[in-house]
Amino acid sequence: MFWRRAAHGRVGFRRSLPELGLLLLATLVLLEGSVLPLGAASSPETGITPGAGVSHGHADKNHSETKHKKPFPVLGLNYDSVKTPFEISLWVLLASLMKLGFHLLPRVSSIVPESCLLIVVGLLVGGGIKLIREEVPPVLDTKLFFYCLLPPIILDAGYFLPIRPFMENLGTILMFAVVGTLWNAFFVGGFLFAVCQIPHASLSHIGLLPCLLFGSIISAVDPVAVLAVFEEIHINELLHILVFGESLLNDAVTVVLYHLFEEFSEAGTVTVLDGFLGVISFLVVALGGVLVGAFYGFVAALTSRFTYHIRVIEPLFVFVYSYMAYLSAEVFHLSGIMALIACGAVMRPYVEANISHKSHTTIKYFLKMWSSVSETLIFIFLGVATVEGPHQWNWVFVTATVILCLVSRVIGVVGLTFVINKFRMVNLTTKDQFIIAYGGLRGAIAFSLGFLLDIEHFKDMREIFLTAIITVVFFTVFVQGMTIKPLVELLAVKKKQEAKRSINEEIHTQFLDHLLTGIEDICGHYGHHHWKDKLNRFNKKYVKGFLIAGERSKEPQLIAFYHKLEMKQAIQLVESGGGSKLPSAMPSTVSMQNIQPKNQPPPPKPTERALPQLTKGREEEIRKILRSNLQRTRQRLHSYNRHTLVADPDEEGFQDIILKKQKMMELDRKIKEMANYLSVPSHPKDSPTMSRARLASDPQAYNIKLPAGGVPTIQVDLASPQSPDSVNLLDEIGKAEQKEDSGLMMKPPESNGPEKAGEKDGWRDQQKLTRCLSDPGPGAEEDEDEPFLP
Amino acid sequence: MGATQTRSGQEYQELAERTGFSAEQIRNLHKRFQQLSGNEDTISREHLKSIPALANNPIRKQIIEAFFDKRNQHGNELGSYEEIGFEEFLMVMSHFRPPTLRTTEEEKEAMRKEKVRFLFNMHDTDGDGKITLVEYRKVVEELLSKSGTIGQEAAKAIADAAMLEVASTNVPNMVSETAKLSRGKDCMVACCSAAVTGSCRSRAQMTSMKGLP
């Protein structure tokens, strides 16, 4: 089925794309290769004289010809002072262009996961640089990796972590993360030590503790690799969260084991006390990391409560607080990853309730952007670092490592699942187990940890370790990464359900939650639901009031969800371009509102009610159109996944829509009143405002016209050949918006107050309308119009 | 525990067969029953209402009603009891058992259906086998009742939207398990199943009784 996709595209165009890609690559390699030697060759003394760059050629001349007045350097070359930022930018540019390139080659990217392609690119670039310069810059510097490249990815993962499935499966995830990683580490380390004892392999200098250390490095499932590969295969949420959660939480175990074995590799022996301290250390590292993260999360949430007036720096708070959480955890040797996850997950509900939706969009896009670039860079650097070395290939060691990793992973998963299934509601099937085992990818974290090894203490072993780590990483990313997609298809593993979350699901989820809590209470059993309910109530009562500004703190979850859903569907309706056809799936409140005035319950067949009944004539039409269309259009909402972005239901326009919805409700009440008196057609000589106050007389197809530019508004024009005066009320509003540029404020119309009887009523209603429209409505805390943000 | 000592192991056995609980679990539940009823033989609504932890539950009334609903007794009666004995209590509780590794696929299907029917009965308060819009509105209102002063409008709007959604899901394609089920119930079951299996995978099998003291 991968070949099906390749059938698109014109042949000529396609033929040129690989060439384009290669050309791009070659250009960049040459650029980097040629620029870097220039930097190296430039003379070290490049003082920055005021006004002009010192040309290198002149620098030499200056010594000998100080008395000569040299000509004013019109064009100089000063590479050294911009060297580092320049190179960084070049790398980032390379990464981004590569990403672009892959999407232009659909055939390749459907077979090979992006991570593999990126490693290959890295290899090529590394090779290219080596050829040109004989020396590759040490790009996968550990500090760079752990402080710059890793945090954005983890923050992105933590901020958008789906909390509910994560918490539901927390026990399972912890089992896999902690027990599974421990098992892997000891199994691999122990058996490798045994392998090292084989007389013919020249490995006898590797002791037990270094082996265990190696085991602990290589055993951890890597979140970056997992994210990169699992993103593309779209498996069901349960498996995704299990493997991904495991990869995140095993960081604590890795940190502890790494430090433990590293310390004791020097000492040479491990006692029981050390083991015990190790366990305590693990608890401290894990819980400490979470606490630090949670603390920063709360502080960030509290800060966001007060950002009412300066919306622009809201995203900055989110990023900086999270980064601080990470760094603070690293200071104390706690698990930085867990701190970051905890910070993101804790602050998210409160921050999102407080910030403007532009900030929300900014945060989302920035996180996705940074994490995307980071991930690309990591894989490219992995390729480059492979070329760089240092390597020492030892057949026995490397093959033993690869095989042992696979074997231990499989045994670990099967064994653990056997135990876990006794405690789970929904058991993990064999297929699930296979995917979990197969999805245990290693990645750049293992490599960086290997790099971190002290050169002094691990003299001969370091190269062997590094080579083995790289081999395992390559193996998992290439082999497992490439084959997991066809395997998922083959095994018919359940895929992610693309169905959007419906209002019924939400209602039932809440209902079931309460039901189960109630049953637990009746049984007298303090179970999982009981505590969750307690936590929710505590949250609602104290925490939300403290951390969320204004009215939003009281809004129940169901209402918030419903509003988001409505808004999303309204946007969809607008984008589908028509007010005339309502998609039948849209839960418009219109037709149901018709039922309200009736006293008897509606007829029992819901199917007949699915299509909106237009029997009430023009009023209903107006009401429908107004309700669903009176809002600002946004830029077209593309839906993305992680390499693209997930279209959340809580995207743009949320509070705006609520505002307008409330206005709409008032508006339609007014219209209802108006319909009672306005039936007199206006004179052509009437002021436009008066004629506009008349309702359209025919239910026509209304077109939504998007303006050419400027403030996005919606004007609803009549398509009918009827009198051009009978333009809808909306026009007035639309024009007012364009004029005013400040929300739905209408100045009272400037016309001379007409004295005619019929029109007087109309005028009165017009005024009523203007008044209702100028009422900002409850809770209008949103300042939409930032002049310097588009 | 005078009168209850007549509940010998044999009776427990019979109950165990009917409800699927183990003897241990039945004993625990019995103890709890005694506690709730004040050592009497039957429980009334007041007994359940007096549980302090339930006070914060927005759908408390529905839950308590479910215990007294005759439809949940695996029979075909309608209406509700005034008081229930231990057997009825146990029958209602049996709806919440999770499937074990040993249950077959058909048994799992049957269990799932039973659970959905339990849910359905909770919503269908007038017992006519259909969930009307008014009843559904009531559900949403109850859910929101503890959340403060949210207007009636919002609750109504949500319920309406939900009903529309149900109507628009593929009702004609759904095969009803018995021809007797009415259209409305089918919709609700489809929706419930979808919701229940879609969003609450693990909740479809409800609370396990294993942790009982």
Side-chain angles (χ1 to χ4, degrees):
Chain A
M1 65 190 76
F2 306 111
W3 290 272
R4 247 183 263 148
R5 278 218 244 159
H8 309 310
R10 285 161 265 144
V11 176
F13 187 55
R14 238 188 329 126
R15 227 186 284 131
S16 68
L17 280 177
E19 293 169 356
L20 181 67
L22 283 172
L23 195 63
L24 219 53
L25 188 57
T27 320
L28 279 159
V29 169
L30 277 168
L31 201 57
E32 293 205 48
S34 54
V35 161
L36 299 179
L38 257 184
S42 68
S43 79
E45 51 147 322
T46 45
I48 300 181
T49 59
V54 178
S55 106
H56 296 308
H58 286 293
D60 297 322
K61 280 199 220 149
N62 267 346
H63 293 302
S64 49
E65 307 172 28
T66 37
K67 301 236 172 64
H68 259 283
K69 177 169 183 260
K70 60 183 191 320
F72 190 77
V74 173
L75 196 63
L77 187 69
N78 178 16
Y79 178 67
D80 260 6
S81 61
V82 296
K83 180 172 181 211
T84 318
F86 196 85
E87 287 184 1
I88 294 176
S89 310
L90 218 51
W91 280 113
V92 174
L93 200 59
L94 173 70
S96 320
L97 287 171
M98 282 303 114
K99 268 186 103 67
L100 268 185
F102 296 144
H103 286 277
L104 295 174
L105 306 170
R107 183 171 185 174
V108 181
S109 57
S110 62
I111 304 178
V112 183
E114 212 173 279
S115 41
C116 302
L117 290 171
L118 288 170
I119 293 186
V120 169
V121 168
L123 285 171
L124 288 173
V125 171
I129 296 184
K130 193 158 194 173
L131 280 176
I132 297 177
R133 285 189 57 203
E134 289 301 322
E135 180 208 300
V136 176
V139 278
L140 206 55
D141 176 37
T142 314
K143 263 212 187 125
L144 174 73
F145 178 74
F146 279 113
Y147 296 141
C148 297
L149 292 177
L150 193 60
I153 302 180
I154 305 294
L155 179 60
D156 179 38
Y159 195 77
F160 293 108
L161 193 68
I163 293 287
R164 208 183 160 95
F166 187 75
M167 285 301 169
E168 278 177 19
N169 295 302
L170 191 60
T172 315
I173 293 177
L174 277 175
M175 275 290 267
F176 278 124
V178 178
V179 180
T181 312
L182 280 173
W183 159 259
N184 277 345
F186 282 104
F187 187 86
V188 173
F191 267 89
L192 265 181
F193 181 63
V195 163
C196 288
Q197 303 306 92
I198 296 178
H200 288 298
S202 50
L203 296 167
S204 42
H205 57 278
I206 304 181
L208 176 63
L209 280 170
C211 275
L212 285 174
L213 178 59
F214 178 74
S216 68
I217 296 177
I218 199 77
S219 63
V221 178
D222 186 80
V224 180
V226 164
L227 261 179
V229 170
F230 271 49
E231 267 302 312
E232 303 183 5
I233 61 179
H234 300 299
I235 51 169
N236 62 43
E237 199 180 44
L238 172 69
L239 285 178
H240 187 236
I241 199 72
L242 281 180
V243 182
F244 184 57
E246 179 196 345
S247 70
L248 290 175
L249 296 186
N250 66 19
D251 180 61
V253 182
T254 313
V255 164
V256 171
L257 281 179
Y258 183 81
H259 284 299
L260 196 75
F261 289 131
E262 203 192 8
E263 286 284 317
F264 299 130
S265 284
E266 308 166 31
T269 52
V270 182
T271 64
V272 177
L273 180 64
D274 298 326
F276 185 63
L277 285 176
V279 171
I280 304 222
S281 164
F282 164 71
L283 288 170
V284 167
V285 161
L287 293 174
V290 171
L291 281 172
V292 167
F295 170 72
Y296 273 99
F298 278 122
V299 176
L302 187 60
T303 314
S304 72
R305 183 181 174 181
F306 301 108
T307 54
Y308 186 79
H309 296 288
I310 314 182
R311 295 281 186 193
V312 201
I313 57 175
E314 275 168 346
L316 194 65
F317 282 122
V318 171
F319 299 141
V320 174
Y321 274 115
S322 313
Y323 196 50
M324 289 287 288
Y326 181 75
L327 294 175
S328 311
E330 289 289 328
V331 166
F332 297 104
H333 282 303
L334 304 173
S335 166
I337 291 185
M338 292 185 82
L340 211 46
I341 303 276
C343 186
V346 163
M347 81 163 109
R348 187 180 179 201
Y350 309 111
V351 162
E352 290 209 341
N354 280 332
I355 59 178
S356 72
H357 54 266
K358 271 183 186 158
S359 299
H360 170 77
T361 312
T362 310
I363 291 178
K364 180 153 123 179
Y365 273 73
F366 262 84
L367 280 178
K368 298 290 179 191
M369 177 188 82
W370 272 330
S371 64
S372 209
V373 169
S374 262
E375 188 187 300
T376 315
L377 273 177
I378 287 180
F379 283 114
I380 292 184
F381 284 169
L382 210 53
V384 173
T386 310
V387 171
E388 175 197 352
H391 290 304
Q392 187 183 336
W393 182 268
N394 184 309
W395 275 104
V396 178
F397 195 79
V398 172
T399 28
T401 312
V402 175
I403 296 179
L404 281 172
C405 279
L406 284 172
V407 168
S408 82
R409 176 86 182 152
V410 171
I411 299 180
V413 169
V414 171
L416 279 174
T417 320
F418 181 70
V419 176
I420 288 172
N421 270 342
K422 296 206 203 299
F423 297 99
R424 275 181 68 89
M425 296 287 178
V426 180
N427 293 327
L428 295 172
T429 65
T430 322
K431 262 193 248 169
D432 294 338
Q433 290 174 40
F434 177 74
I435 296 292
I436 295 175
Y438 207 68
L441 306 170
R442 300 348 189 232
I445 293 187
F447 186 72
S448 306
L449 284 177
F451 233 81
L452 254 183
L453 285 175
D454 198 1
I455 299 191
E456 282 309 308
H457 288 130
F458 299 93
K459 285 186 285 298
D460 307 315
M461 308 182 249
R462 191 161 170 266
E463 288 92 39
I464 304 181
F465 285 174
L466 278 175
T467 315
I469 293 175
I470 289 252
T471 315
V472 174
V473 170
F474 270 44
F475 180 81
T476 54
V477 172
F478 277 92
V479 175
Q480 285 178 241
M482 271 201 271
T483 53
I484 199 168
K485 194 162 183 180
L487 275 172
V488 162
E489 306 277 337
L490 193 69
L491 292 175
V493 177
K494 258 196 293 187
K495 293 280 196 98
K496 179 156 63 164
Q497 284 164 318
E498 293 302 336
K500 55 186 182 212
R501 204 164 148 86
S502 70
I503 186 85
N504 269 304
E505 265 188 54
E506 185 68 26
I507 294 179
H508 282 288
T509 311
Q510 287 219 359
F511 191 83
L512 280 173
D513 271 345
H514 288 299
L515 174 64
L516 292 172
T517 311
I519 297 287
E520 276 190 5
D521 290 331
I522 291 182
C523 291
H525 169 48
Y526 288 147
H528 168 68
H529 293 275
H530 177 88
W531 294 117
K532 205 158 83 115
D533 189 58
K534 266 212 157 91
L535 183 68
N536 277 337
R537 268 187 285 126
F538 174 74
N539 187 22
K540 213 186 292 192
K541 204 161 158 194
Y542 299 112
V543 183
K544 273 194 180 165
F546 184 56
L547 292 177
I548 298 182
E551 282 299 308
R552 297 287 306 274
S553 56
K554 303 248 177 19
E555 202 177 33
Q557 192 189 344
L558 194 59
I559 307 258
F561 180 81
Y562 175 65
H563 284 317
K564 282 177 198 163
L565 199 68
E566 268 201 328
M567 185 252 343
K568 193 169 156 216
Q569 275 163 338
I571 290 183
Q572 271 177 15
L573 174 69
V574 167
E575 284 185 349
S576 70
S580 56
K581 306 192 286 277
L582 289 177
S584 59
M586 173 176 119
S588 118
T589 56
V590 175
S591 55
M592 288 304 175
Q593 295 267 5
N594 296 342
I595 305 171
Q596 271 176 346
K598 295 201 197 118
N599 287 328
Q600 63 270 25
K605 296 243 169 92
T607 41
E608 283 173 31
R609 290 241 140 240
L611 295 172
Q613 309 276 332
L614 295 182
T615 51
K616 294 270 178 170
R618 69 183 82 153
E619 276 183 49
E620 297 314 304
E621 191 68 17
I622 303 294
R623 212 179 274 162
K624 235 183 301 173
I625 301 303
L626 289 178
R627 182 163 300 138
S628 50
N629 291 341
L630 185 63
Q631 55 210 326
R632 294 189 181 198
T633 50
R634 306 277 160 213
Q635 292 299 317
R636 177 152 188 93
L637 256 189
H638 294 281
S639 83
Y640 293 90
N641 71 20
R642 192 179 167 261
H643 298 282
T644 51
L645 287 165
V646 168
D648 275 337
D650 48 356
E651 276 249 50
E652 332 167 344
F654 167 47
Q655 277 157 330
D656 218 38
I657 302 305
I658 306 304
L659 214 71
K660 295 197 172 134
K661 222 190 154 10
Q662 281 152 348
K663 282 181 206 157
M664 277 342 296
M665 291 206 200
E666 293 173 0
L667 186 61
D668 84 45
R669 252 180 268 141
K670 302 300 170 194
I671 290 175
K672 208 164 173 250
E673 293 177 52
M674 275 171 60
N676 295 338
Y677 4 108
L678 288 184
S679 47
V680 180
S682 67
H683 284 283
K685 289 205 206 90
D686 275 352
S687 63
T689 53
M690 285 302 99
S691 60
R692 272 186 229 119
R694 240 186 339 110
L695 296 169
S697 44
D698 280 349
Q700 294 289 331
Y702 292 90
N703 296 324
I704 303 174
K705 206 164 51 172
L706 296 178
V711 177
T713 53
I714 298 187
Q715 286 173 320
V716 179
D717 288 333
L718 260 191
S720 79
Q722 267 211 315
S723 71
D725 291 340
S726 61
V727 171
N728 208 330
L729 198 54
L730 269 195
D731 241 24
E732 179 72 274
I733 300 168
K735 294 221 173 70
E737 275 198 319
Q738 274 179 326
K739 273 185 257 163
E740 297 274 344
D741 206 33
S742 58
L744 271 174
M745 292 270 303
M746 260 178 75
K747 292 201 207 91
E750 301 285 74
S751 58
N752 318 314
E755 300 303 320
K756 300 185 194 149
E759 290 168 357
K760 193 166 185 181
D761 291 336
W763 170 248
R764 212 184 327 134
D765 283 302
Q766 183 76 8
Q767 287 227 300
K768 280 193 209 153
L769 270 161
T770 65
R771 245 175 273 134
C772 97
L773 287 173
S774 58
D775 170 28
E781 42 206 299
E782 180 64 352
D783 179 19
E784 250 300 74
D785 303 308
E786 313 268 25
F788 38 87
L789 284 180
Chain B
M1 295 212 275
T4 54
Q5 288 215 319
T6 56
R7 288 218 183 267
S8 56
Q10 201 195 5
E11 288 211 29
Y12 276 5
Q13 197 58 28
E14 186 207 356
L15 280 173
E17 276 165 35
R18 277 183 58 201
T19 57
F21 283 125
S22 73
E24 172 84 27
Q25 293 169 332
I26 297 185
R27 212 167 308 141
N28 286 333
L29 280 170
H30 196 80
K31 267 192 235 153
R32 179 64 180 172
F33 185 83
Q34 302 285 1
Q35 212 180 15
L36 286 175
S37 70
N39 279 332
E40 300 190 4
D41 274 339
T42 57
I43 286 187
S44 71
R45 289 185 176 82
E46 278 62 42
H47 287 122
L48 288 180
K49 274 203 194 123
S50 63
I51 301 176
L54 267 187
N56 284 316
N57 204 313
I59 55 169
R60 176 171 71 148
K61 227 169 42 135
Q62 271 94 326
I63 299 180
I64 295 179
E65 268 314 304
F67 275 90
F68 293 89
D69 196 336
K70 281 190 187 162
R71 289 174 297 174
N72 291 329
Q73 296 296 326
H74 295 280
N76 280 327
E77 302 175 22
L78 294 177
S80 60
Y81 298 108
E82 280 306 313
E83 298 188 333
I84 53 170
F86 182 57
E87 250 186 68
E88 287 83 29
F89 183 74
L90 213 56
M91 287 303 281
V92 172
M93 283 302 188
S94 75
H95 288 281
F96 292 93
R97 268 186 322 118
T100 63
L101 278 170
R102 264 175 263 114
T103 48
T104 63
E105 271 309 310
E106 304 100 44
E107 282 178 11
K108 276 193 196 157
E109 258 319 297
M111 282 181 84
R112 197 171 292 157
K113 212 177 289 180
E114 214 178 271
K115 288 170 186 182
V116 175
R117 190 163 318 194
F118 182 81
L119 253 190
F120 187 83
N121 289 340
M122 279 188 81
H123 291 317
D124 182 21
T125 44
D126 58 4
D128 61 353
K130 302 179 197 143
I131 297 183
T132 59
L133 186 61
V134 174
E135 286 167 342
Y136 206 51
R137 272 190 195 151
K138 191 108 198 348
V139 170
V140 177
E141 270 170 36
E142 290 289 323
L143 267 183
L144 292 174
S145 62
K146 285 277 188 279
S147 313
T149 58
I150 306 299
Q152 291 279 328
E153 288 279 331
K156 278 210 184 74
I158 293 177
D160 297 345
M163 227 13 166
L164 251 183
E165 224 177 61
V166 170
S168 63
T169 57
N170 57 340
V171 170
N173 295 342
M174 230 209 40
V175 177
S176 63
E177 51 272 37
T178 60
K180 284 180 278 174
L181 286 178
S182 72
R183 214 87 208 287
K185 194 169 180 179
D186 275 1
C187 287
M188 212 54 220
V189 167
C191 219
C192 279
S193 309
V196 159
T197 53
S199 68
C200 326
R201 283 157 298 284
S202 57
R203 306 308 178 68
Q205 290 83 1
M206 298 177 198
T207 326
S208 153
M209 291 301 167
K210 289 192 183 115
L212 279 182

